[in-house]
Amino acid sequence: MHMDRQAKMRDYHVHFTGSLPRKYIFTKLLEYKRKNELPLDMRGIKTYSQFLDKLDNYFSGDYLYNKSRFFEIYKLFQQITKPTNSTEFPTVYSEGCFEICKNFVNNGISNFDIIAGPCSTIDLTYSRLKNMIEGINRAESLFNKTVNARIRLTFIRNSSGIIKNYSISLLNDIFYLLKEPYFSKRIIGFDISGEEKPLKNYFDENCSIIENIEELNRKTGTHFEIGIHAGENIDNSPDDKKYFLLFRKLLSLNITRICHGTFLWLNIDKEKEFLLKSFAEKKVIFDICPTANLLLTPLKSHSQIPISFFKEIALPYTFNRDNPSIFGNLIIP
């Protein structure tokens, strides 16, 4: 476990939607008006215990099957928590962050990063972030102590390969917004996440976004972290080798974190070893999510995570929960 300077457990990788407490999700499900449109059949689910049984028996031993199931349930959680109009933004995002903070602190963790996407416009992004921070501040008041919750903004690629919440103009506006101390206190960086097909045009576009963030960091004198979800979506197929293209390219960029990176550290060969050592030299942090990796990748056992090798090459790493509402992993392995 990588520890922060305060020697307290920190969860660096929790997604906003997938980290809302299950009771909160269940309440939203009961309130949802268009249940027949949900991507998951929830007919007959009327009690919280039935809902828990549904979630706890959701995944199988087949990681390829689990991938489709994961995105199905994530889509469901997004649908039932997403505001249907602008007047619902304050309640949904403030209350959502408040519930995440309350749930985490009650489970012994007050240090964590929430990963959340900007909206399609700067006005909607402002509303989302302002209300998320208000929810965090409210949790601080409730517990009468610091809730060290930080926000990382993620640009998300969907299954069609489109990144709907990104444009250069929006990124510029976000950097302007982050000049305000109210936002810069809580928002500490950016991520590129979502669909990870090993196609060169996807890699090139992702790297272009990173380069744009780097350029704005230089222009504004800021030091916002830059992370990328990479190498998780692997199938042990010949096409996976194309991930080497991305990781070689990432070495030339000033990234801070690699979320998952499973492709590189699972079944290490000479080329993977070279790349891992190169990232170690650059002090790039690998955010590993053991439960998610066990369910959604070819990883068969937590013992396959090469911790001793990471220590040997001084590669910084963290253990994280990713989407605790979905995986039910309240305690980090």
Side-chain angles (χ1 to χ4, degrees), residues 91-323:
T91 301
V92 171
Y93 291 109
S94 177
E95 191 67 21
C97 260
F98 175 72
E99 288 295 329
I100 288 176
C101 293
K102 186 170 69 172
N103 193 47
F104 277 29
V105 171
N106 283 337
N107 281 278
I109 296 179
S110 59
N111 297 277
F112 50 91
D113 289 6
I114 300 173
I115 300 175
C119 299
S120 56
T121 69
I122 192 61
D123 289 340
L124 290 175
T125 299
Y126 175 90
S127 175
R128 171 178 287 185
L129 297 177
K130 179 175 180 292
N131 288 295
M132 287 182 73
I133 293 170
E134 284 181 359
I136 294 170
N137 292 342
R138 186 153 61 97
E140 281 194 341
S141 298
L142 172 68
F143 290 102
N144 196 28
K145 64 179 180 181
T146 299
V147 175
N148 191 12
R150 311 183 306 183
I151 298 171
R152 301 215 306 264
L153 298 176
T154 185
F155 299 110
I156 307 166
R157 185 185 297 281
N158 65 23
S159 58
S160 302
I162 299 169
I163 304 177
K164 289 186 175 180
N165 68 332
Y166 176 78
S167 68
I168 293 177
S169 60
L170 177 61
L171 182 62
N172 275 293
D173 287 341
I174 289 172
F175 262 79
Y176 184 80
L177 180 68
L178 294 181
K179 290 180 179 179
E180 298 183 30
Y182 181 81
F183 293 100
S184 60
K185 175 186 175 183
R186 293 288 185 189
I187 299 167
I188 49 86
F190 298 86
D191 280 304
I192 296 94
S193 68
E195 182 62 53
E196 295 181 40
K197 292 176 182 176
L199 303 175
K200 189 174 183 300
N201 60 317
Y202 281 24
F203 295 165
D204 288 346
E205 187 176 3
N206 286 345
C207 292
S208 175
I209 295 173
I210 293 171
E211 288 168 346
N212 290 335
I213 296 172
E214 284 184 340
E215 179 62 22
L216 283 168
N217 265 337
R218 284 192 293 270
K219 282 183 177 178
T220 58
T222 52
H223 302 281
F224 291 110
E225 294 183 6
I226 305 174
I228 183 169
H229 284 60
E232 179 193 20
N233 224 4
I234 53 178
D235 299 331
N236 271 347
S237 69
D239 276 351
D240 289 340
K241 295 294 183 183
K242 295 177 182 176
Y243 277 116
F244 283 125
L245 296 172
L246 171 64
F247 286 111
R248 290 191 204 106
K249 175 69 173 177
L250 291 179
L251 275 174
S252 67
L253 302 173
N254 292 321
I255 61 169
T256 312
R257 323 187 77 88
I258 291 178
C259 299
H260 302 290
T262 322
F263 170 75
L264 274 192
W265 52 257
L266 186 61
N267 302 321
I268 298 172
D269 57 22
K270 286 186 177 180
E271 185 163 9
K272 291 181 179 181
E273 180 177 336
F274 168 78
L275 288 168
L276 286 168
K277 287 180 176 178
S278 299
F279 283 117
E281 289 175 4
K282 295 191 69 173
K283 305 299 181 187
V284 175
I285 301 166
F286 277 62
D287 288 341
I288 299 169
C289 303
T291 301
N293 296 154
L294 194 62
L295 287 169
L296 304 178
T297 80
L299 182 72
K300 297 184 185 302
S301 167
H302 290 153
S303 64
Q304 289 181 277
I305 302 173
I307 302 304
S308 58
F309 180 69
F310 292 162
K311 291 179 178 177
E312 177 187 328
I313 65 173
L315 179 76
Y317 67 91
T318 66
F319 280 161
N320 311 273
R321 287 176 291 184
D322 199 350
N323 292 279

Side-chain angles (χ1 to χ4, degrees), residues 19-26 48 96 99-100 102-103 325:
S19 299
L20 293 166
R22 287 179 165 192
K23 283 188 177 178
Y24 182 82
I25 292 287
F26 180 63
Y48 182 58
E99 288 295 329
I100 288 176
K102 186 170 69 172
N103 193 47
S325 291

Side-chain angles (χ1 to χ4, degrees), residues 1-119:
M1 172 65 65
H2 179 89
M3 307 296 281
D4 67 13
R5 290 180 181 177
Q6 296 174 309
K8 295 178 180 178
M9 186 181 293
R10 180 170 199 111
D11 201 332
Y12 291 83
H13 185 127
V14 293
H15 292 264
F16 176 78
T17 298
S19 299
L20 293 166
R22 287 179 165 192
K23 283 188 177 178
Y24 182 82
I25 292 287
F26 180 63
T27 300
K28 291 294 180 181
L29 178 68
L30 294 179
E31 295 173 353
Y32 195 69
K33 305 298 183 186
R34 301 190 299 278
K35 292 184 176 61
N36 61 318
E37 298 177 11
L38 294 175
L40 178 67
D41 184 3
M42 298 298 289
R43 287 174 295 184
I45 305 298
K46 296 180 180 178
T47 67
Y48 182 58
S49 62
Q50 289 175 328
F51 182 60
L52 290 183
D53 287 343
K54 184 83 172 180
L55 293 184
D56 292 341
N57 293 291
Y58 198 68
F59 296 107
S60 74
D62 179 356
Y63 72 91
L64 292 174
Y65 172 80
N66 288 344
K67 279 185 187 179
S68 62
R69 298 288 277 175
F70 169 78
F71 287 108
E72 191 176 55
I73 196 171
Y74 197 86
K75 183 178 179 183
L76 166 62
F77 284 8
Q78 282 185 315
Q79 275 189 261
I80 63 178
T81 59
K82 186 176 181 180
T84 56
N85 57 68
S86 59
T87 60
E88 294 181 3
F89 265 71
T91 301
V92 171
Y93 291 109
S94 177
E95 191 67 21
C97 260
F98 175 72
E99 288 295 329
I100 288 176
C101 293
K102 186 170 69 172
N103 193 47
F104 277 29
V105 171
N106 283 337
N107 281 278
I109 296 179
S110 59
N111 297 277
F112 50 91
D113 289 6
I114 300 173
I115 300 175
C119 299

